[in-house]
């Protein structure tokens, strides 16, 4: 039961952060800052989870490394955009102080991770766009796992590009076979 409760709380905080970072009110070019409304709402959610929720569990007991990882997963569910070292850097940078950020209603970590995601996603989309201009070799025996949620993030850019190469071939084959 405690495991499920902790999982719920980790997901709840990751969701709170993702709602603010990806809010439609924020333009891609807009400066991402915590507004007074966001601060109050974040503070209120923390208070509700600690005082009103039936478990009455302090966020101090949460594994903030897991909260950061679940937040990153909100954007990179299939572990294709971020590298493992980037996820580790987010944990190192934000997990030790995330409780304080949340108690203060400060969504800075969410904005930082989201902005980084936009950057790596745009870089990867440019890569895919250029790669689609080249031919693909479907004679090579290969294997791709479409659901990568439980698999690690790629270790480096070469591994990420290989995953994307496989993903593109997988999508192209599905499209051809579906016709």
């Amino acid at each position: 039961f405690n495991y499920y409760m902790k999982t719920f709380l980790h997901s709840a905080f990751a969701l709170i952060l993702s709602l603010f970072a990806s809010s439609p009110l924020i333009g891609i070019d807009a400066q991402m800052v915590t507004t007074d409304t966001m601060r109050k709402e974040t503070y209120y959610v923390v208070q509700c989870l600690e005082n009103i929720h039936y478990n009455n569990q302090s966020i101090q007991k949460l594994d903030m490394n897991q909260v950061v990882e679940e937040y990153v997963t909100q954007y990179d569910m299939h572990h294709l955009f971020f590298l493992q070292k980037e996820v580790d850097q987010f944990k190192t940078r934000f997990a030790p102080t995330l409780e304080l950020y949340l108690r203060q209603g400060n969504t800075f970590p969410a904005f930082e991770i989201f902005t980084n995601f936009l950057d790596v996603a745009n870089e990867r989309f440019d890569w895919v766009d250029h790669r689609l201009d080249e031919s693909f070799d479907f004679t090579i025996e290969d294997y791709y796992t479409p659901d990568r949620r439980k698999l690690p993030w790629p270790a480096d850019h070469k591994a990420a590009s290989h995953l994307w190469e496989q993903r593109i071939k997988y999508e192209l084959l599905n499209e051809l076979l579906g016709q």
Side-chain angles (χ1 to χ4, degrees):
F1 176 74
N2 263 349
Y3 168 79
Y4 295 109
M5 194 69 242
K6 284 185 177 185
T7 301
F8 166 76
L9 291 173
H10 290 142
S11 297
F13 284 113
L15 181 61
I16 291 166
L17 293 173
S18 66
L19 288 174
F20 290 128
S22 61
S23 168
L25 300 175
I26 299 171
I28 297 295
D29 295 327
Q31 182 179 5
M32 295 189 195
V33 294
T34 304
T35 65
D36 286 336
T37 301
M38 290 175 184
R39 187 177 325 287
K40 290 175 187 173
E41 289 171 343
T42 303
Y43 177 80
Y44 177 74
V45 170
V46 169
Q47 295 305 309
C48 286
L49 286 172
E50 289 188 327
N51 301 316
I52 299 173
H53 192 272
Y54 70 90
N55 198 30
N56 290 332
Q57 183 176 357
S58 170
I59 66 168
Q60 190 175 28
K61 294 181 180 180
L62 295 178
D63 178 357
M64 291 301 174
N65 282 309
Q66 188 176 350
V67 172
V68 171
E69 186 167 320
E70 288 189 28
Y71 176 68
V72 170
T73 300
Q74 295 286 325
Y75 296 108
D76 190 8
M77 181 186 341
H78 294 288
H79 301 177
L80 288 167
F81 290 95
F82 287 118
L83 302 178
Q84 183 64 56
K85 67 182 176 183
E86 293 169 322
V87 175
D88 292 342
Q89 287 170 348
F90 292 142
K91 290 179 188 179
T92 300
R93 183 174 175 197
F94 296 120
T97 56
L98 189 57
E99 178 191 352
L100 182 60
Y101 277 113
L102 290 170
R103 288 193 185 284
Q104 294 174 347
N106 189 335
T107 56
F108 172 76
F111 291 140
E112 283 292 299
I113 293 170
F114 179 68
T115 300
N116 192 286
F117 173 74
L118 291 177
D119 292 343
V120 297
N122 284 327
E123 287 174 16
R124 185 51 66 182
F125 293 147
D126 287 343
W127 182 91
V128 168
D129 189 46
H130 287 97
R131 180 60 188 93
L132 287 172
D133 290 336
E134 301 171 20
S135 62
F136 290 89
D137 184 359
F138 291 102
T139 62
I140 299 171
E141 189 171 324
D142 206 355
Y143 179 81
Y144 177 70
T145 304
D147 185 356
R148 294 188 34 80
R149 287 179 282 195
K150 300 213 184 284
L151 297 175
W153 276 276
D156 54 32
H157 290 287
K158 183 178 179 180
S161 293
H162 179 71
L163 283 173
W164 276 94
E165 178 85 16
Q166 290 177 312
R167 176 67 188 230
I168 294 168
K169 287 171 72 173
Y170 169 80
E171 295 294 341
L172 289 171
L173 280 173
N174 276 342
E175 187 67 28
L176 289 170
L177 293 173
Q179 291 181 357

